[in-house]
Amino acid sequence: MDYETPQFFRVMQYAARADRDVVDMVSGNPDWDPPEGVRDGLRDYAEADADAFQYAPSRGLKSLREEIAARRGVDVSRVVVTNGAGEANHLAMTGGMDHFPGDEILLTDPVYPYYAGRASFLDAETTIVSVDEDGHLDPDAVRAAASEETSVVVVNSPNNPTGAVYGADAMAEFVAIAEEYDALLVSDEVYDHFDYAGRFTSALEQDSPNVVATNSFSKSMAITGFRVGYAVFPSPDGPAGDLVDRAGTRHMLTNVSGSRPAQYAVERALRTTSPEYYAKCRRRLERRIDTFCGALDAAGAEYNRPEGGFYVMARFPEFAGSFANVYELIDDAGVAGMPGEAFGESRSDWIRFALVTPRIEEAAERLAAFFE
Amino acid sequence: MDYETPQFFRVMQYAARADRDVVDMVSGNPDWDPPEGVRDGLRDYAEADADAFQYAPSRGLKSLREEIAARRGVDVSRVVVTNGAGEANHLAMTGGMDHFPGDEILLTDPVYPYYAGRASFLDAETTIVSVDEDGHLDPDAVRAAASEETSVVVVNSPNNPTGAVYGADAMAEFVAIAEEYDALLVSDEVYDHFDYAGRFTSALEQDSPNVVATNSFSKSMAITGFRVGYAVFPSPDGPAGDLVDRAGTRHMLTNVSGSRPAQYAVERALRTTSPEYYAKCRRRLERRIDTFCGALDAAGAEYNRPEGGFYVMARFPEFAGSFANVYELIDDAGVAGMPGEAFGESRSDWIRFALVTPRIEEAAERLAAFFE
């Protein structure tokens, strides 16, 4: 699988060219409004003095870093504001490869394709651990796959694409495994606000020099286009204290700094958005999960009901998760999902549907009718 | 010299802690207003529908890429919108190292420290070509330094820090040298709007597969904090046709995409800003150059009168361009510049002053009085 060519675009382009109406359940772009604080932040920024239009500090606006640090309960020296979780993961993975021994990155299957693309881009050996049938990652399987060669372990909870949320015990185990094998656990927690079962635990709960937590406001504030994310590195005073400076240097030499109007708007929204905004987003998605899973039942599909995140993976009877079948669904059912084979081998019989469209009911009806 | 630790910050921090008023002539942040189109773009964006807040295409908003391509007279397939010229240079330099034979990056001395930092970060061999006394880069010196080992040649015109603008003949020669040695010429043209002598020539004037031109709107629109830049790569159909896709992949795996509100505002301003805005910025800087060079004359300093850009380098009698002397100027004259030694060896007797403060007259008087 060539992860460097985004398969998302192939499917989206096919759907766009289809000779019929198609419900897009391919990409992970929220379809709801950002918090008003984001818009207010941009409105105010538009009237700011000239000096507000100049470079933000390379590691992010001070007020934004402080707000993030306070919310995550860490010292501000550990926080680097990045160009979205994408850059946060890039910095964490490259830093882990540089600092810790070994040339191997341990990923799960199914895998979010950007992780695999980055690993291949970094010329890392990639070892794959398949998740359970229910989408969970078994710490014993991770331990069995880890070795002296393991430099970085990447986990993602709530998970894209399976919808699994790893519990506190599992996260503690992943951290312990990273410590055991002198490796870095990169914990991508970008869907942390979308936790329907109350199971989510941040890797930062473990006070470990072997953990980097990555996150962004792309999903929680419905602003994937803003590119404001962050990574929390081990304390600069601890045994992996060089990680935050390595990341700061790489960030500076790659990007100089992040985009300031976007950081400004996010900082405003962080301070002004009530918990009700996030709760409402969760309730909206829970309703969509109910509707969509009902249709999957009607279609005779197997699926893991999402514990978190935006996605449902489903396996239909005698209908593999191939590009050919996904194209057939687009043409004949008018629903576009992502073929499971784009996420690795273990879920090549499955199809992933993103619940970020207001047309879930229509999609559900179309799928139920198609598989009837 | 450790280029990875930005020397700018050392000096700025020293100036900020000084026990007196200091005119900041250290950083390259414009002190004037961005075009109104930038503010209008943000105002409109703040009211946009939810879908405008989601991912821009990885290589940039289509309308922005098209506008850039039209202005540069190139096909849109050659344009990648980046996180400022910083990322454009990063992509160009890494792509050049990957595609062209050799492990060497050829830089000028004095050098913009980010180029040297990037070269060292990429583990490239660095070969340095000193500029002439008048700040110009002699093509013969570049040719003499180039070899089979040369993979990338970086030039910057109008130049930071010397203020030199390389003419059409010199640019044609640099391109020819890159072709001769199977290398990539990276031409950083970020100060192209600040050309006082009408000498500026883009490397794109030469239709060559060995050229990447980089640029941004940071300086021309006084928005260094927005991080919107671009690189124009060789045609994808030509002999170095892989460069644009390599850069697109690296950009995607590092940053996913650039910040959309910033791209939106820049696109608006590109379409709505009259030539008079740029002309006014030039006239403002020309007045500052006159004032400041007058003071340098009074101080008995040698200097190159800038043909372009924001900076003046000056050499004062018996007062080297060291950090110690720059700190003395801060404490005793109340003017902060950058020590020439931060830019390499050939200008270690010089000090660079950035003309991006409204207090040029005051700085000029203080310097003249100090060196009287």
Side-chain angles (χ1 to χ4, degrees):
Chain A
M1 175 70 58
D2 171 16
Y3 289 105
E4 293 182 18
T5 311
Q7 310 291 327
F8 300 99
F9 302 139
R10 273 176 69 184
V11 178
M12 287 194 280
Q13 275 165 7
Y14 189 93
R17 282 194 302 261
D19 200 19
R20 60 161 296 161
D21 171 69
V22 178
V23 181
D24 173 9
M25 301 184 75
V26 177
S27 74
N29 291 348
D31 63 299
W32 50 86
D33 262 322
E36 197 60 20
V38 169
R39 297 181 186 274
D40 284 342
L42 288 180
R43 287 178 191 123
D44 279 4
Y45 189 93
E47 314 307 326
D49 288 344
D51 63 351
F53 286 70
Q54 307 311 321
Y55 295 113
S58 185
R59 295 187 191 183
L61 286 175
K62 190 158 172 278
S63 51
L64 176 58
R65 288 175 72 213
E66 284 170 352
E67 187 71 31
I68 291 167
R71 282 162 187 265
R72 302 312 303 254
V74 299
D75 191 80
V76 68
S77 62
R78 297 173 59 187
V79 177
V80 177
V81 174
T82 58
N83 201 61
E87 193 201 1
N89 286 323
H90 174 73
L91 295 177
M93 289 168 74
T94 50
M97 291 286 290
D98 286 345
H99 175 96
F100 292 95
D103 291 318
E104 179 194 77
I105 295 182
L106 207 151
L107 299 173
T108 59
D109 186 326
V111 68
Y112 172 58
Y114 271 98
Y115 305 147
R118 253 177 227 119
S120 129
F121 195 69
L122 298 174
D123 283 329
E125 298 292 317
T126 302
T127 295
I128 294 291
V129 184
S130 292
V131 301
D132 290 347
E133 269 293 293
D134 66 358
H136 284 105
L137 183 62
D138 179 359
D140 290 340
V142 176
R143 183 171 275 111
S147 75
E148 303 291 303
E149 284 307 304
T150 308
S151 180
V152 172
V153 178
V154 182
V155 297
N156 168 225
S157 166
N159 188 264
N160 172 11
T162 69
V165 177
Y166 308 155
D169 291 352
M171 285 305 289
E173 274 291 273
F174 299 142
V175 175
I177 293 163
E179 291 180 348
E180 223 168 293
Y181 288 96
D182 203 9
L184 182 70
L185 181 73
V186 177
S187 178
D188 180 345
E189 304 178 353
V190 73
Y191 294 102
D192 60 352
H193 279 72
F194 302 92
D195 171 30
Y196 312 117
R199 282 172 62 89
F200 173 73
T201 309
S202 169
L204 294 175
E205 301 272 310
Q206 309 296 317
D207 182 23
S208 168
N210 295 65
V211 169
V212 175
T214 61
N215 213 318
S216 89
F217 305 97
S218 295
K219 311 289 182 178
S220 60
M221 294 187 180
I223 49 168
T224 54
F226 275 47
R227 315 310 304 135
V228 183
Y230 64 90
V232 178
F233 290 91
S235 167
D237 306 319
D242 60 314
L243 282 176
V244 66
D245 279 338
R246 280 176 193 265
T249 297
R250 184 179 288 273
H251 171 68
M252 190 183 70
L253 292 174
T254 309
N255 284 327
V256 183
S257 62
S259 187
R260 188 161 176 171
Q263 289 187 30
Y264 183 91
V266 164
E267 197 260 341
R268 167 72 60 92
L270 258 184
R271 284 191 291 102
T272 59
T273 306
S274 77
E276 180 53 23
Y277 172 82
Y278 304 106
K280 200 173 147 192
C281 291
R282 268 192 300 275
R283 286 197 301 272
R284 180 190 297 116
L285 276 161
E286 286 183 297
R287 283 194 303 273
R288 291 178 180 182
I289 290 170
D290 284 341
T291 305
F292 197 74
C293 289
L296 292 175
D297 286 331
E302 258 186 90
Y303 60 91
N304 305 133
R305 187 184 165 90
E307 300 168 328
F310 295 175
Y311 310 97
V312 182
M313 282 203 112
R315 172 155 62 179
F316 298 94
E318 292 167 50
F319 195 80
S322 62
F323 279 90
N325 279 345
V326 159
Y327 294 161
E328 190 182 328
L329 270 191
I330 289 171
D331 290 328
D332 295 346
V335 178
M338 267 300 284
E341 68 174 42
F343 299 93
E345 285 177 19
S346 72
R347 293 257 168 151
S348 59
D349 282 349
W350 302 61
I351 296 174
R352 187 196 78 171
F353 298 93
L355 302 176
V356 285
T357 164
R359 300 170 66 194
I360 293 293
E361 215 147 323
E362 214 169 337
E365 281 162 18
R366 290 177 180 189
L367 281 180
F370 179 84
F371 285 105
E372 191 165 56
Chain B
M1 176 71 55
D2 173 15
Y3 290 106
E4 293 183 17
T5 311
Q7 311 291 329
F8 300 101
F9 301 139
R10 273 176 68 183
V11 179
M12 287 195 279
Q13 275 164 8
Y14 189 92
R17 281 194 302 260
D19 200 19
R20 60 162 297 161
D21 171 66
V22 178
V23 181
D24 174 9
M25 302 184 74
V26 178
S27 73
N29 291 347
D31 62 299
W32 51 87
D33 261 320
E36 197 59 21
V38 169
R39 296 181 186 273
D40 284 342
L42 287 180
R43 288 177 189 122
D44 279 5
Y45 189 93
E47 313 307 327
D49 288 344
D51 63 352
F53 286 71
Q54 308 311 321
Y55 296 113
S58 185
R59 295 187 192 184
L61 287 175
K62 190 158 171 278
S63 50
L64 175 58
R65 289 175 71 213
E66 284 170 351
E67 187 70 30
I68 291 167
R71 282 163 187 264
R72 302 311 304 253
V74 299
D75 191 80
V76 69
S77 62
R78 297 173 59 186
V79 177
V80 177
V81 174
T82 59
N83 200 63
E87 194 200 2
N89 286 323
H90 175 74
L91 296 177
M93 288 169 74
T94 50
M97 291 288 288
D98 287 345
H99 176 96
F100 292 95
D103 291 318
E104 180 195 76
I105 296 181
L106 207 150
L107 300 173
T108 59
D109 187 324
V111 68
Y112 172 57
Y114 271 97
Y115 304 148
R118 255 177 226 117
S120 128
F121 195 69
L122 297 173
D123 284 328
E125 298 292 318
T126 304
T127 295
I128 294 292
V129 184
S130 292
V131 301
D132 290 347
E133 268 293 292
D134 67 356
H136 283 105
L137 183 61
D138 179 0
D140 289 340
V142 176
R143 183 172 275 110
S147 74
E148 303 291 302
E149 284 307 305
T150 307
S151 182
V152 172
V153 179
V154 182
V155 297
N156 168 224
S157 166
N159 188 264
N160 172 9
T162 68
V165 176
Y166 308 155
D169 290 352
M171 286 305 289
E173 274 291 273
F174 299 142
V175 175
I177 294 164
E179 291 180 348
E180 223 167 294
Y181 287 96
D182 202 10
L184 182 69
L185 180 73
V186 177
S187 178
D188 180 344
E189 304 177 353
V190 73
Y191 294 102
D192 59 354
H193 279 72
F194 302 92
D195 171 28
Y196 313 117
R199 283 171 64 90
F200 173 73
T201 310
S202 169
L204 294 175
E205 300 273 310
Q206 310 295 318
D207 184 21
S208 167
N210 294 64
V211 169
V212 174
T214 61
N215 212 319
S216 90
F217 305 96
S218 294
K219 312 289 182 177
S220 60
M221 293 188 181
I223 49 168
T224 55
F226 275 47
R227 315 310 304 136
V228 183
Y230 63 90
V232 178
F233 290 91
S235 168
D237 305 321
D242 60 314
L243 282 177
V244 65
D245 279 340
R246 280 176 194 263
T249 297
R250 184 179 289 272
H251 171 68
M252 191 182 71
L253 291 175
T254 308
N255 285 326
V256 182
S257 62
S259 187
R260 187 162 176 171
Q263 289 187 31
Y264 182 91
V266 164
E267 196 260 340
R268 167 71 61 90
L270 259 185
R271 283 191 290 101
T272 59
T273 305
S274 77
E276 180 52 22
Y277 172 83
Y278 303 106
K280 199 174 148 193
C281 290
R282 267 193 301 275
R283 285 197 301 272
R284 180 189 297 117
L285 276 161
E286 285 181 298
R287 281 194 305 271
R288 291 178 179 181
I289 290 170
D290 285 341
T291 304
F292 197 74
C293 289
L296 292 175
D297 286 331
E302 259 186 89
Y303 60 91
N304 304 132
R305 188 185 164 89
E307 299 167 329
F310 293 175
Y311 309 98
V312 183
M313 280 201 116
R315 174 158 56 181
F316 298 94
E318 291 168 52
F319 195 81
S322 63
F323 279 89
N325 279 345
V326 159
Y327 294 161
E328 190 182 330
L329 269 192
I330 289 171
D331 290 328
D332 294 345
V335 178
M338 269 299 285
E341 68 174 42
F343 299 93
E345 285 175 21
S346 72
R347 293 257 167 153
S348 58
D349 282 348
W350 302 60
I351 296 174
R352 188 197 77 171
F353 298 94
L355 303 176
V356 285
T357 165
R359 300 171 66 196
I360 293 293
E361 215 148 322
E362 214 168 335
E365 282 163 17
R366 290 177 180 189
L367 281 180
F370 180 83
F371 285 105
E372 193 166 54

